[in-house]
Amino acid sequence: MTAAAPQTKDQRNRLLTAAARCFVKSGFRGARMAQIAAEAQMSTGHIYHYFDSKEQIIAEMVRGHIEEKESIFGRLERAGDQVVDLMVDNLEESVDSSANPFWSALTLEMTAEAMRNPKIADILRTADAEMKARLFTCLGEGSDQEELATRLEIFIALIQGIGIRNIINPKLDLPAVVSIVKEVVENLFRRSKP
Amino acid sequence: MTAAAPQTKDQRNRLLTAAARCFVKSGFRGARMAQIAAEAQMSTGHIYHYFDSKEQIIAEMVRGHIEEKESIFGRLERAGDQVVDLMVDNLEESVDSSANPFWSALTLEMTAEAMRNPKIADILRTADAEMKARLFTCLGEGSDQEELATRLEIFIALIQGIGIRNIINPKLDLPAVVSIVKEVVENLFRRSKP
Amino acid sequence: MTAAAPQTKDQRNRLLTAAARCFVKSGFRGARMAQIAAEAQMSTGHIYHYFDSKEQIIAEMVRGHIEEKESIFGRLERAGDQVVDLMVDNLEESVDSSANPFWSALTLEMTAEAMRNPKIADILRTADAEMKARLFTCLGEGSDQEELATRLEIFIALIQGIGIRNIINPKLDLPAVVSIVKEVVENLFRRSKP
Amino acid sequence: MTAAAPQTKDQRNRLLTAAARCFVKSGFRGARMAQIAAEAQMSTGHIYHYFDSKEQIIAEMVRGHIEEKESIFGRLERAGDQVVDLMVDNLEESVDSSANPFWSALTLEMTAEAMRNPKIADILRTADAEMKARLFTCLGEGSDQEELATRLEIFIALIQGIGIRNIINPKLDLPAVVSIVKEVVENLFRRSKP
DNA sequence: CATGAATGAGCGTTCATTCAT
DNA sequence: AATGAATGAACGCTCATTCAT
């Protein structure tokens, strides 16, 4: 029985993955349910056994997407006072991931959707607030948390901004970008070392 | 006479402004012609006396939007060897403008649309390439233009990224952001001073 | 004053001629008021000083068109007992005129419109009945008017049918057609001559 | 099983039949998709599961209509040297069919549409050329094919012309027409009998 | 008399969603 | 669980008609 009937969770994930591909190709509004169904090799109507509406698919996909990002913050959380080193060491990966058209397109869609869809805005903001709260608990006593928060915002802005630049200018020389960004990050966070 | 017959150009601008408001509210795809017409206090059909299609409105609005940005690059162009000073001095204005939800939302829409609409992508990329070409002609002899280009990309990425962050986290402390970004920009461009 | 202000009748005729050209190009339904106005070198709105509606233009154009045809019947009427000779002699002209794409197209439009627009059907049928009535008063006493009517119907059907054939097969060899049609007409009407 | 799932082909035919009725009532341009849908007892949107566009419906209906006509030519083709006899024998049927307001209206619409829609013109002309080509291969050795072609054109023109006359003058006495047309056809084709 | 900007109902078409099977 | 035929509201766009000038 377990083998015969596909697991609800598997099907949902298959759908979510298919939807992400369609959203990148056509945007949240532009992606058609039929297109998502075809991508997931499923009939259109059957989607509604797993999701109530297109909006729910969007919401869950957004949630899933930021959970992945959360894992990056999780690693930072566990790095203790070597947070900065970890950030610098991971920069290549961070920039590459952010510049991956797939992820940057999704981030773009999500943010744009958040501007007009309060549900999506909530998901994004809640996740964002939680991530920062967690960083605050583990980050340096003795340092100005307000300022640290701002510096982190700038760091995130930079990484996401590079993803967007890469869409407009796909010739962007990523390795060159990474080496300069390392410099920036050092200057951003490594202020008080003797 | 001037009051009697509405000028074609005025009407087009009225429409473009109304469209921009609707695009920010609902996105390029989500904004309805009827909504734009209502916002411009005009009948739906009458829009088509001024524009051939919704797509043309989007394209012209995008063009107009980047022309405004071009003026910033124009100022840098005219700054001669004080480019960096000008950039730092203007940072407050740049960040505020980029963080204005209206403009950052439009930038977001434009970039997202460029991902799926080759016409919009063309407009964006052509303008982008031209702006950078102009900077290259006026910027530092004796400096590595390739690296300068990369540093500029990072600068633009940062400014745009802050705009996006401001959407997700509207509580962003912009003055604090500006003071730290000034530091980053100094470090990005003021390398060779003795 | 008479010279300064264009005569209403002239304007109407200009409009009617322009409309006919548009109707041939695009059909009654397909022709746009703006197209007719442009063809008549007049503003769209000004049409409504001369005609109440598009339908009225169609109706008057149909009326004018069949009045021209009526003149052919008029000539037959005046031909006395040489009707058949006149018909045969005029065949070349009749066929050429009927095969003129301009006129055959208009006839087509008119008949098609008559199928769904009772007003047009009335105009067509009234004119038709009148023409036949006039022929009856001048045509052969001593001949079976019922049968003559049928033969005339067949004659008209043939001439109009050739016009339509010429649309579908524009390579139609009209001179060859004329010579055979002469034969047919002789056989249709010249039965009882000794 | 057969009753449960409606066959695509059945639905298409249902739609085509409904469309034909609407086209006769309102013309190709005048018929509304909603009207066709109602006539086929189907929702508007569902039409688009079977046809890509209104134009495709028109094209397929035209094709189907001339295929039926082709069958008449097929019978003539198989009649060998008794073509003329068959034509005369079938005249009653031919005239009745041509005078059927439904078919003559469709023919009218088709021809009118061919004047402005190249696709429809192509369908009509291709079918026409093919039918004549087939007749040429089976018709009289020893006869002048050029002239025969012209006589056939005249025959077709006459039959179609009668259909149109019947629209303008529905009181047409068809039996009387048939008997005279028989005479015409005999004279048209039965020239060389000893 | 003349203009053309302005209107808005209505068109062909699309697509998220439902439901009989 | 799974299908895909079916729905119908809503979209972008058109165009006959009106009206201020």
Side-chain angles (χ1 to χ4, degrees):
Chain A
M1 202 209 280
T2 21
Q7 301 300 295
T8 288
K9 216 185 153 190
D10 288 353
Q11 295 276 61
R12 285 178 64 100
N13 283 338
R14 184 142 65 91
L15 230 11
L16 253 6
T17 310
R21 278 195 294 269
C22 294
F23 290 153
V24 168
K25 245 180 286 174
S26 320
F28 285 157
R29 307 287 237 253
R32 309 294 159 212
M33 291 304 267
Q35 182 190 349
I36 295 171
E39 187 83 35
Q41 301 193 86
M42 186 181 284
S43 73
T44 325
H46 200 40
I47 292 183
Y48 291 85
H49 279 274
Y50 302 105
F51 295 94
D52 286 345
S53 65
K54 188 180 175 180
E55 201 185 10
Q56 200 198 17
I57 296 183
I58 293 175
E60 298 213 11
M61 214 224 44
V62 168
R63 224 184 303 271
H65 188 65
I66 57 185
E67 264 163 28
E68 289 183 34
K69 282 193 183 159
E70 220 162 73
S71 78
I72 298 178
F73 277 71
R75 273 189 290 167
L76 294 178
E77 200 173 9
R78 285 187 300 276
D81 58 358
Q82 272 139 350
V83 170
V84 179
D85 294 315
L86 188 62
M87 275 163 74
V88 172
D89 288 351
N90 284 167
L91 263 184
E92 195 138 18
E93 190 195 327
S94 300
V95 168
D96 278 358
S97 153
S98 177
N100 176 331
F102 187 84
W103 296 116
S104 59
L106 268 188
T107 304
L108 219 49
E109 281 299 320
M110 282 165 36
T111 316
E113 188 67 14
M115 289 235 41
R116 42 187 171 270
N117 186 334
K119 285 185 198 167
I120 301 301
D122 262 5
I123 296 173
L124 245 40
R125 283 181 191 140
T126 305
D128 205 71
E130 196 206 335
M131 288 189 293
K132 278 183 296 191
R134 282 164 55 192
L135 274 172
F136 281 3
T137 61
C138 77
L139 271 172
E141 306 82 37
S143 73
D144 179 343
Q145 287 201 355
E146 286 283 314
E147 188 180 336
L148 184 63
T150 305
R151 286 176 187 270
L152 269 169
E153 289 280 2
I154 289 172
F155 171 67
I156 302 169
L158 178 56
I159 298 296
Q160 285 191 357
I162 288 168
I164 288 177
R165 281 309 295 163
N166 197 49
I167 289 173
I168 293 170
N169 174 193
K171 292 178 197 152
L172 203 60
D173 180 354
L174 288 181
V177 167
V178 169
S179 76
I180 295 168
V181 169
K182 276 189 177 167
E183 197 182 284
V184 172
V185 172
E186 292 278 355
N187 282 312
L188 260 183
F189 296 105
R190 191 104 62 196
R191 291 147 297 151
S192 44
K193 300 273 159 161
Chain B
M1 201 208 280
T2 23
Q7 302 301 299
T8 287
K9 216 182 152 191
D10 288 352
Q11 295 274 61
R12 286 178 64 101
N13 283 338
R14 182 145 65 95
L15 231 12
L16 252 8
T17 309
R21 276 194 296 269
C22 295
F23 290 152
V24 167
K25 241 180 289 175
S26 321
F28 285 156
R29 306 286 236 252
R32 304 299 159 204
M33 291 306 268
Q35 182 189 351
I36 295 171
E39 185 84 36
Q41 301 193 86
M42 188 180 283
S43 73
T44 328
H46 199 38
I47 293 182
Y48 292 86
H49 280 272
Y50 302 104
F51 296 93
D52 286 344
S53 63
K54 188 180 174 181
E55 200 184 9
Q56 200 198 19
I57 295 182
I58 294 175
E60 297 212 11
M61 215 222 43
V62 169
R63 223 184 301 273
H65 190 64
I66 57 186
E67 263 163 29
E68 289 181 33
K69 283 192 183 160
E70 220 162 71
S71 78
I72 297 177
F73 276 70
R75 273 188 290 166
L76 293 178
E77 200 174 8
R78 284 186 300 276
D81 56 0
Q82 273 136 358
V83 170
V84 179
D85 294 316
L86 188 62
M87 276 162 78
V88 172
D89 288 351
N90 285 168
L91 263 182
E92 194 137 18
E93 189 195 329
S94 298
V95 168
D96 277 359
S97 152
S98 179
N100 175 330
F102 188 84
W103 296 116
S104 59
L106 269 187
T107 304
L108 218 49
E109 280 301 319
M110 281 165 38
T111 315
E113 187 68 12
M115 289 231 45
R116 37 185 174 274
N117 185 335
K119 284 185 198 166
I120 300 302
D122 261 6
I123 296 173
L124 244 40
R125 284 186 188 134
T126 304
D128 204 71
E130 198 206 334
M131 288 189 294
K132 278 185 295 190
R134 282 165 55 192
L135 274 173
F136 280 3
T137 60
C138 76
L139 271 174
E141 303 85 37
S143 72
D144 181 342
Q145 287 200 356
E146 287 282 315
E147 188 181 332
L148 184 62
T150 304
R151 285 176 187 268
L152 270 168
E153 290 279 2
I154 289 172
F155 171 68
I156 301 169
L158 178 57
I159 299 296
Q160 285 190 357
I162 289 169
I164 288 177
R165 281 309 295 162
N166 197 51
I167 290 173
I168 294 170
N169 173 194
K171 292 178 198 151
L172 202 60
D173 180 354
L174 286 182
V177 166
V178 168
S179 76
I180 295 168
V181 169
K182 273 190 180 167
E183 193 183 288
V184 172
V185 172
E186 291 279 354
N187 282 313
L188 259 182
F189 296 105
R190 192 103 62 196
R191 292 146 295 154
S192 44
K193 301 272 159 163
Chain C
M1 204 211 273
T2 21
Q7 301 300 295
T8 289
K9 217 183 151 189
D10 288 354
Q11 294 276 60
R12 285 177 65 100
N13 282 338
R14 184 142 67 91
L15 230 13
L16 254 6
T17 310
R21 278 196 293 270
C22 294
F23 290 153
V24 167
K25 246 180 285 175
S26 320
F28 285 157
R29 306 288 237 253
R32 309 291 160 216
M33 293 303 268
Q35 183 189 351
I36 295 172
E39 186 84 36
Q41 302 192 88
M42 188 180 284
S43 74
T44 325
H46 201 38
I47 293 183
Y48 291 84
H49 280 273
Y50 302 105
F51 296 93
D52 286 345
S53 65
K54 189 180 176 181
E55 199 184 11
Q56 199 196 21
I57 296 183
I58 294 174
E60 297 211 13
M61 213 222 47
V62 168
R63 224 184 302 274
H65 189 65
I66 57 185
E67 263 162 29
E68 288 181 33
K69 281 192 183 161
E70 221 162 72
S71 77
I72 297 177
F73 276 72
R75 274 188 289 166
L76 294 177
E77 200 174 9
R78 285 186 299 276
D81 57 359
Q82 271 137 355
V83 170
V84 179
D85 295 315
L86 188 63
M87 276 162 77
V88 172
D89 289 351
N90 285 166
L91 263 182
E92 195 136 19
E93 190 196 328
S94 300
V95 168
D96 279 0
S97 151
S98 177
N100 176 329
F102 187 84
W103 297 115
S104 59
L106 268 187
T107 304
L108 218 50
E109 281 299 320
M110 281 165 37
T111 315
E113 188 68 13
M115 289 235 40
R116 42 188 172 267
N117 186 333
K119 285 185 197 167
I120 301 300
D122 262 5
I123 296 173
L124 244 42
R125 281 182 191 139
T126 304
D128 205 70
E130 196 204 335
M131 288 189 292
K132 278 185 294 191
R134 282 164 55 192
L135 273 172
F136 281 2
T137 60
C138 78
L139 270 173
E141 303 85 37
S143 73
D144 180 344
Q145 286 199 355
E146 288 282 315
E147 189 180 335
L148 185 61
T150 305
R151 285 177 188 268
L152 271 168
E153 290 279 3
I154 289 172
F155 171 68
I156 301 168
L158 179 56
I159 299 297
Q160 285 190 356
I162 288 169
I164 288 176
R165 281 310 294 162
N166 196 51
I167 289 173
I168 295 170
N169 173 195
K171 292 178 198 153
L172 203 60
D173 180 355
L174 286 182
V177 166
V178 168
S179 78
I180 295 168
V181 168
K182 275 189 177 168
E183 198 183 282
V184 172
V185 172
E186 291 279 353
N187 281 312
L188 258 183
F189 295 106
R190 192 103 63 195
R191 294 146 294 150
S192 44
K193 300 275 159 162
Chain D
M1 201 208 282
T2 23
Q7 303 305 143
T8 289
K9 216 184 150 189
D10 288 353
Q11 295 275 61
R12 285 177 65 100
N13 284 337
R14 181 143 68 94
L15 230 13
L16 252 7
T17 309
R21 276 195 295 269
C22 294
F23 290 153
V24 167
K25 242 181 288 175
S26 321
F28 285 156
R29 308 284 236 250
R32 305 296 158 208
M33 292 305 267
Q35 183 189 350
I36 295 172
E39 185 83 37
Q41 301 192 86
M42 188 180 282
S43 73
T44 329
H46 200 37
I47 293 183
Y48 292 84
H49 280 272
Y50 302 105
F51 295 94
D52 286 345
S53 64
K54 188 181 177 182
E55 200 183 12
Q56 200 198 20
I57 296 183
I58 294 175
E60 296 211 15
M61 215 221 44
V62 168
R63 226 185 298 272
H65 189 65
I66 57 184
E67 263 163 29
E68 289 182 31
K69 282 191 182 160
E70 222 163 69
S71 78
I72 298 178
F73 276 71
R75 275 188 290 165
L76 294 178
E77 199 174 8
R78 286 186 299 275
D81 56 1
Q82 272 138 354
V83 170
V84 179
D85 294 316
L86 188 63
M87 276 162 75
V88 172
D89 288 352
N90 284 166
L91 264 182
E92 195 136 17
E93 189 195 327
S94 300
V95 168
D96 277 0
S97 152
S98 177
N100 175 331
F102 187 83
W103 297 116
S104 59
L106 269 187
T107 304
L108 219 49
E109 280 300 319
M110 281 164 38
T111 315
E113 188 67 14
M115 290 230 47
R116 40 188 172 270
N117 185 335
K119 283 185 198 167
I120 301 301
D122 261 6
I123 296 173
L124 245 41
R125 283 185 189 135
T126 304
D128 204 71
E130 197 206 335
M131 289 190 292
K132 278 185 295 189
R134 282 164 55 190
L135 275 172
F136 281 2
T137 60
C138 77
L139 270 173
E141 304 85 36
S143 72
D144 180 342
Q145 287 200 356
E146 288 281 315
E147 190 182 332
L148 184 62
T150 305
R151 285 175 188 270
L152 271 168
E153 290 280 3
I154 289 172
F155 172 68
I156 301 169
L158 179 56
I159 299 296
Q160 285 191 355
I162 288 168
I164 289 175
R165 280 311 293 164
N166 196 50
I167 289 173
I168 294 170
N169 174 193
K171 293 179 197 152
L172 202 60
D173 179 354
L174 287 181
V177 166
V178 168
S179 76
I180 295 169
V181 168
K182 276 190 177 167
E183 196 182 284
V184 172
V185 172
E186 291 279 355
N187 282 312
L188 260 183
F189 296 106
R190 192 100 65 194
R191 290 147 295 150
S192 45
K193 299 274 160 161

